Amino acid sequence: MDNFFVTARPEEVGIESQHITNFMKKLEVYNLTMHSILLIRHGKLVAEAYYAPYTANTLHRMFSVTKSFTALGIGLLAEEGKLSLEDRIIDHFPEKLPSEGVHPYIAEITIGDMLMMSTAHEKTTYKRWPDGDWVKSFFAIEPSHIPGTVFSYDTSSSHTLAALVEKLSGMSLLDYLRSKFLDEIGFSKDAYIKTDPMGIAQGGSGLMALPIDLAKVAWVVMQEGCYQGKQYLPKEFIQEAVKKQIETVVRGLGIDERQGYGYQFWRVRNNGYAMFGMGGQFAVCFPEQDLILVTTADLQEQPYGATIMFEAFYSEIFDKLADQPLPANAQAWAELQATIEKAAIKPLTGNKSSLTNSVNQQQYIFPENQMGLKSIKLELGDQQGKLYYTNQTGSHQLVFGLEELVVSQFPHYNWKCASSAAWADQKTLVIKSHIIDEEIGTITIQLAFKDSRVTVYMKKVIESGFSEFSGFVSGKLA
């Protein structure tokens, strides 16, 4: 249902419009690549910004936010009596256990241990497993420590819990959640969860959904599972899921990640909790202030990007909340709307003086190299350009705007991307492509020209694939 949240001006719920504008501008100062920002207080949606080419209707990869959805599935099955958090996980998956027997540490792991990231594994197991059975990897990979003792982030744990939800419910993870409450709250019909090679929902990272979907789920969770007077999610489980179950002070990257962990929910400062996803996918709840912040982004190039975003939010909005409505401010409201209207992923900008004329339409060839790059040719117009390149996957062309974003499909991978280029100096052209599809990340290509030669540096900041876009090579005119 589209009317889940009433819309209102920020002042009506004790937030100054100017403070939201200041927050958005501070993120821009730090060059954070935001994709959306939603702010909800007292059940009212007071700010909703999408950074072009993203729109309100663009499904976004939510990465580890998916873990919180998996936890809700486990809570619902516990309410049905189909499992207990004290159950040993091996008892639910006898068919996945190694034929030579299971390690004693693995045998100890309970569903509760898995929910609070306190398994026996130091890291995700399926990334170290030779075949496509991700669930089997959880039971077969050698453990590193006694379960139920320390926090150790393990996405294979969440994935195995998703497999358990699907096994016990007889439905896909998302369909099970739809049947229980997502359909009732108007969760997107087009949303889906990517599956592993065995067809099991990637319960640790695979959710594709809208930012407003996260806001709706966060709101129901903040109401302890209740919506319009009906209890959709088990209240006691929700209460346990969002409170600190285990310490994270040693493992967290930023200060908010060091506040503790519940059942696939993170604790944050100011007595809040959150669904966290890699790269800036957040749904953060502050029950005492009746406030929810939802963001989607690509902060992977900035290790402390999430910390910067949180600090900006706390200083510009959270610390300035009022407990009562504020007087209307038409000018500040208009400025906020203008800021939201022009929100967009920023293209590269640079030097106006360049070697365009001397390198345009010239083909450069390369010796054998780690990237498998064989040749490149630039075609540069007034506003757009193309990079023609040949590598081990064939001959391709990447379209980009000159100091403006152009949306296209990234060659070979056929994922939607938004690409721009600019001359960093007279002899150096930089092309940057934002992948905005089932994967989120960036591919950056630097071309540095010297007489009849060129050095190409490629950098990929994306979770999977694109290994051919990483490294250096020098070549010469054909």
Side-chain angles (χ1 to χ4, degrees), residues 149 206 243:
T149 55
K243 77 180 187 184

Side-chain angles (χ1 to χ4, degrees), residues 296-313:
T296 56
D298 181 13
L299 309 180
Q300 295 174 83
E301 286 192 283
Q302 296 178 282
Y304 290 95
T307 298
I308 292 169
M309 193 200 74
F310 271 98
E311 292 297 343
F313 172 72

Side-chain angles (χ1 to χ4, degrees), residues 12 44-45 205 213 219 230 294 304 326 331 348 352 360 411 467 473:
E12 295 176 37
K44 296 178 179 180
L45 181 63
S205 68
D213 291 330
W219 177 258
K230 182 175 178 180
V294 171
Y304 290 95
L326 299 168
Q331 183 176 346
L348 296 177
K352 300 305 178 186
N360 201 8
S467 58
V473 65

Side-chain angles (χ1 to χ4, degrees), residues 5 8 48 62 93 252-253 318 363 371 445:
F5 293 113
E48 186 176 16
M62 298 304 181
F93 288 103
L253 179 63
F318 188 89
Q363 185 175 36
M371 297 182 289
I445 304 169

Side-chain angles (χ1 to χ4, degrees), residues 289-362:
Q289 291 75 24
D290 200 13
L291 179 71
I292 294 172
L293 169 70
V294 171
T295 66
T296 56
D298 181 13
L299 309 180
Q300 295 174 83
E301 286 192 283
Q302 296 178 282
Y304 290 95
T307 298
I308 292 169
M309 193 200 74
F310 271 98
E311 292 297 343
F313 172 72
Y314 290 137
S315 64
E316 299 298 332
I317 297 177
F318 188 89
D319 292 344
K320 299 174 180 177
L321 292 172
D323 294 329
Q324 64 283 322
L326 299 168
N329 187 331
Q331 183 176 346
W333 165 254
E335 183 183 358
L336 173 59
Q337 296 314 298
T339 303
I340 289 173
E341 185 68 26
K342 65 182 182 183
I345 297 175
K346 296 294 181 281
L348 296 177
T349 57
N351 198 306
K352 300 305 178 186
S353 176
S354 69
L355 292 176
T356 296
N357 292 336
S358 58
V359 303
N360 201 8
Q361 300 290 356
Q362 298 295 317

Side-chain angles (χ1 to χ4, degrees), residues 141-342:
I141 290 287
E142 186 82 7
S144 57
H145 57 274
I146 301 168
T149 55
V150 297
F151 176 85
S152 185
Y153 202 70
D154 176 11
T155 297
S156 50
S157 172
S158 309
H159 184 73
T160 302
L161 289 176
L164 180 60
V165 172
E166 297 194 341
K167 184 176 187 179
L168 296 183
S169 70
M171 307 168 73
S172 74
L173 171 60
L174 198 58
D175 282 348
Y176 178 62
L177 294 176
R178 286 188 188 283
S179 72
K180 289 293 188 175
F181 82 108
L182 292 183
D183 282 347
E184 293 293 323
I185 65 173
F187 198 86
S188 301
K189 298 294 186 185
D190 294 335
Y192 63 96
I193 298 177
K194 285 164 53 71
T195 58
D196 75 358
M198 306 290 285
I200 295 167
Q202 292 185 26
S205 68
L207 178 64
M208 296 286 296
L210 302 180
I212 195 69
D213 291 330
L214 300 195
K216 291 174 180 179
V217 173
W219 177 258
V220 174
V221 170
M222 202 164 74
Q223 310 313 306
E224 299 184 324
C226 188
Y227 174 63
Q228 291 189 341
K230 182 175 178 180
Q231 193 72 36
Y232 286 96
L233 299 170
K235 182 176 181 178
E236 289 185 7
F237 179 84
I238 295 296
Q239 290 172 339
E240 292 299 308
V242 302
K243 77 180 187 184
K244 182 160 77 170
Q245 298 289 344
I246 194 165
E247 189 58 68
T248 60
V249 68
V250 176
R251 298 302 298 265
L253 179 63
I255 187 169
D256 282 284
E257 293 178 23
R258 296 198 293 267
Q259 304 302 308
Y261 196 77
Y263 292 155
Q264 311 282 282
F265 285 81
W266 290 83
R267 295 294 302 177
V268 298
R269 281 176 286 173
N270 298 297
N271 202 27
Y273 55 85
M275 299 186 272
F276 267 26
M278 179 182 73
Q281 326 322 315
F282 298 123
V284 196
C285 301
F286 300 96
E288 293 169 12
Q289 291 75 24
D290 200 13
L291 179 71
I292 294 172
L293 169 70
V294 171
T295 66
T296 56
D298 181 13
L299 309 180
Q300 295 174 83
E301 286 192 283
Q302 296 178 282
Y304 290 95
T307 298
I308 292 169
M309 193 200 74
F310 271 98
E311 292 297 343
F313 172 72
Y314 290 137
S315 64
E316 299 298 332
I317 297 177
F318 188 89
D319 292 344
K320 299 174 180 177
L321 292 172
D323 294 329
Q324 64 283 322
L326 299 168
N329 187 331
Q331 183 176 346
W333 165 254
E335 183 183 358
L336 173 59
Q337 296 314 298
T339 303
I340 289 173
E341 185 68 26
K342 65 182 182 183

Side-chain angles (χ1 to χ4, degrees), residues 61 87 94 176 186-187 206 260 273 278 387 419 424 433 443 448 457 460:
R61 179 75 179 273
D87 290 353
Y176 178 62
F187 198 86
Y273 55 85
M278 179 182 73
L387 175 68
S419 310
S433 188
I443 307 300
Y457 168 58
K460 68 124 181 174

